[in-house]
Amino acid sequence: MDTSRIVLMTDHSSTEGARATLASAVEMLTGRPPVHVDARHFMVGGSGRAVAVDGVLRLEVPADDLVVTPSVLLVYEIQPPDRWSFAPVQRRLRALGAVSLGLDADAWRTATEKDRTVEQFLLDDIPHMETVALSDPRPESADETFERLGGDVWARPSVGTGGNDVFHVTTRGQLHDVARGYAAAGLDWLMARDANNVNAAGLRHQFRVVVLDGRVVRVCEHVQSDPDAPCNEGQGAVSTVVPIDELPDDVHQLAVRATKSLGLTFGGVDLAVENGGVVFEVNVHPVFGAVDGPDSAAVPYVRAHLAML
C-alpha cells in the first residue's frame, strides 16, 4: 500500500479512544479517513523506518506491509512510560521535515517527567503547590519533607498514567506504605502540599483547560466525591464541558503560560482556581471526548495540522 495522505500515528495498544476521535475529526475536515500507523513500530527496537526518498518523507512498516508518504502526521496517544522510547524517531521525523505538532521530544520529556515540570515552573514563575522530588529516600527524609509540607500531601510517581499510583497522604503510616510501594517498584516520586481545592459542597474541584497555539480550545470541570482520590475522570471524577468564556481571563492566561513554559504547542492543563490559582500539570496528550463540534479539542487540533501545509 503506497499512498499520500494524513497519517495518524498512535499506540494501538492504548484503550483511551483518542485514535477513533482523531480519525473522525480528520474525516470530518477532509472527507477522507487517515492512514493508521502503530507508533510501537517506531519505538526503540521496532522495525518501522522514517526515510527521505527524493527529499520526501516516507514511513515504512514491514510488519504491516505498509509504505506511506504522509502530507500531515498526527502523533498522539503515546503513553508516558513509553515516550523515552519514542523520542529518537521524533527527532528523526523533525529532521526530515515532517508536518506535525508532535515532534518536540524535549518538551514532551519536560511535561512527562513531573520533577522536570516542577523545575521549569519554578524558573518561569508558574504558580503551583510546593513540591519535593524524592528518589528512594530514607524514611526519616520522607518524614521531614512530609512535616515541612504541612502533613497533608499528595504523592505521585515522577512518571505516571491516568492518576494511577497517586495517593492522598495525611499520616506517617500512609506515607511509609506509599514510600515502600514506590521503592519496590523502583519509581522516583514527588510529594506536593495539598492545594485544598475544595468547592462549596466540600468536593475536590479542578479544571482541565486545553490549550492550542496560545489559545484555549476546550474547558472541562472535574468534581471528585472521594476526598482521597485524584480529581480526574480515570479515578472517578465527574467531568463536565463548560463554555470557554465562563473561565476567568486570568485562568485562561495561566493555562497558556503553563503550556508555553514546558515548550508545548498543545496540552491539557490541570489547574485549580481556589487559593489564587495553581497548576498541577500539563498533559501532552489530554484524552479527547467524542467529536462534538466547536467544543471538541480534536477538531481544532487536526485543523491546526492542516493549516501547516
Side-chain angles (χ1 to χ4, degrees), residues 3 50 84 100 120 259:
T3 186
W84 71 269
S100 178
Q120 194 61 49
T259 307

Coordinates of all heavy atoms in Angstrom, one line a residue, residues 3 50 84 100 120 259:
T3 N 0.5 5.3 -0.4 CA -0.4 6.4 -0.5 C 0.2 7.7 0.0 O 1.2 7.7 0.7 CB -1.7 6.1 0.2 OG1 -2.7 7.1 0.0 CG2 -1.5 5.9 1.7
A50 N 11.7 5.7 9.2 CA 11.4 7.0 8.6 C 12.5 7.4 7.7 O 13.7 7.6 8.2 CB 11.2 8.1 9.7
W84 N 10.1 8.0 26.3 CA 11.5 8.0 26.1 C 11.9 7.1 24.9 O 12.8 7.5 24.1 CB 12.2 7.4 27.3 CG 12.0 6.0 27.5 CD1 11.0 5.4 28.2 CD2 12.8 4.9 27.0 NE1 11.1 4.0 28.1 CE2 12.2 3.7 27.4 CE3 13.9 4.9 26.2 CZ2 12.7 2.4 27.0 CZ3 14.4 3.6 25.8 CH2 13.8 2.4 26.2
S100 N 4.0 18.2 11.5 CA 3.4 17.7 12.7 C 3.6 18.6 13.9 O 4.6 19.3 14.0 CB 4.0 16.3 13.0 OG 3.4 15.8 14.2
Q120 N 10.8 23.6 35.8 CA 10.5 24.6 34.8 C 9.5 25.6 35.3 O 9.6 26.8 35.0 CB 10.0 23.9 33.5 CG 10.0 24.8 32.3 CD 11.4 25.3 32.0 OE1 12.3 24.5 31.9 NE2 11.5 26.6 31.8
T259 N 1.5 26.0 29.6 CA 1.8 25.3 28.4 C 3.1 25.8 27.7 O 3.9 25.0 27.3 CB 0.6 25.3 27.4 OG1 -0.6 25.0 28.1 CG2 0.8 24.4 26.2

